[in-house]
């Protein structure tokens, strides 16, 4: 499906969508197909792409919590070598991020597409079904 | 403990810290004590304050993922009343946030303080122990 049609379908700016599609393409989630009927489609079966794959491709896979090692600041602090382990706050924040990622990893794009069909108003169903057919492998 | 000493201890700007302490105070996590030896301390036992309480007080408790109802956009879309349920993407993102919150809710500030003592370099231990004594209930 051409990027411009996809942008129109979702009512988002084409430049914004192009950037996300580029990120998804770099991550191997979508691929571009050349030719008059070309555009983007999924690079692998929707059952093999988790929601986590998509989120990390678009948002980047850096941890949301970045530890600034506050323990090394202030008058009472020792040098970096005195703190071999990450601090307790960072460990807890990262564990919560792991739980967030695990939750997103439980769902696939295939399930999203099934849900989109299930939740579509009857009059929009043909449009959604055609759209899905054009973008999946 | 006075806000200024806390800022010096952590090596962070006093104005930045004052803003966070105000948020924590509003949330009932810390309280200010008047007088020459006044300042901030925890408003309740550290065992009764979860890391989630602190994070939500500082970051706000709005959902990180905000659904813009993209389904209602584009030429094929129907009116809002055609989509009674939140979309599948939003449901999955919110479920992941719930997992993140649940994980943060498993730890208390008391455990953080215990960990800070356990991980402190020997020469910093007295400073950390005194600091904790001054701020807990």
């Amino acid at each position: 499906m051409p990027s411009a049609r996809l942008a129109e379908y979702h009512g988002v700016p084409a430049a914004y969508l192009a950037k996300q599609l580029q990120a998804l393409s770099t991550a191997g989630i979508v691929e571009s197909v050349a030719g008059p009927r070309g555009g983007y489609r999924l690079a692998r079966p929707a059952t093999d792409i988790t929601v986590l794959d998509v989120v990390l491709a678009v948002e980047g896979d850096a941890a949301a919590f970045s530890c600034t090692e506050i323990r090394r600041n202030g008058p009472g602090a020792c040098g970096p070598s005195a703190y071999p382990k990450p601090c307790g706050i960072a460990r807890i924040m990262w564990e919560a991020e792991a739980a967030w990622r695990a939750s997103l990893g439980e769902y696939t794009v295939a399930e999203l597409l099934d849900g989109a069909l299930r939740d579509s108003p009857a009059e929009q169903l043909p449009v959604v079904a055609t759209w899905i057919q054009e973008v999946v492998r």
Side-chain angles (χ1 to χ4, degrees), chain A:
Chain A
M1 178 174 289
S3 172
R5 251 186 73 216
L6 211 49
E8 188 198 23
Y9 180 81
H10 287 305
V12 296
Y16 166 82
L17 190 69
K19 193 172 154 240
Q20 311 300 347
L21 284 168
Q22 189 49 55
L24 291 167
S25 175
T26 303
I29 292 172
V30 301
E31 63 188 6
S32 57
V33 183
R37 292 185 51 83
Y40 283 94
R41 65 177 178 196
L42 297 183
R44 44 185 209 267
T47 47
D48 291 354
I49 304 170
T50 69
V51 176
L52 180 65
D53 293 335
V54 175
V55 170
L56 295 186
V58 170
E59 304 280 340
D61 77 347
F65 179 81
S66 120
C67 181
T68 55
E69 271 296 352
I70 204 171
R71 293 179 299 177
R72 299 182 195 170
N73 294 344
C78 307
S81 64
Y83 308 95
K85 285 204 293 183
C87 87
I89 296 172
R91 289 200 301 269
I92 291 170
M93 296 302 288
W94 290 331
E95 184 177 323
E97 283 189 42
W100 180 81
R101 290 185 178 213
S103 180
L104 291 181
E106 279 170 23
Y107 296 97
T108 67
V109 169
E111 289 164 312
L112 272 183
L113 296 175
D114 288 348
L117 281 174
R118 209 168 42 235
D119 292 346
S120 280
E123 64 266 45
Q124 204 189 5
L125 200 54
V127 181
V128 174
T130 308
W131 184 93
I132 289 176
Q133 220 165 16
E134 272 190 69
V135 296
V136 297
R137 292 301 300 268

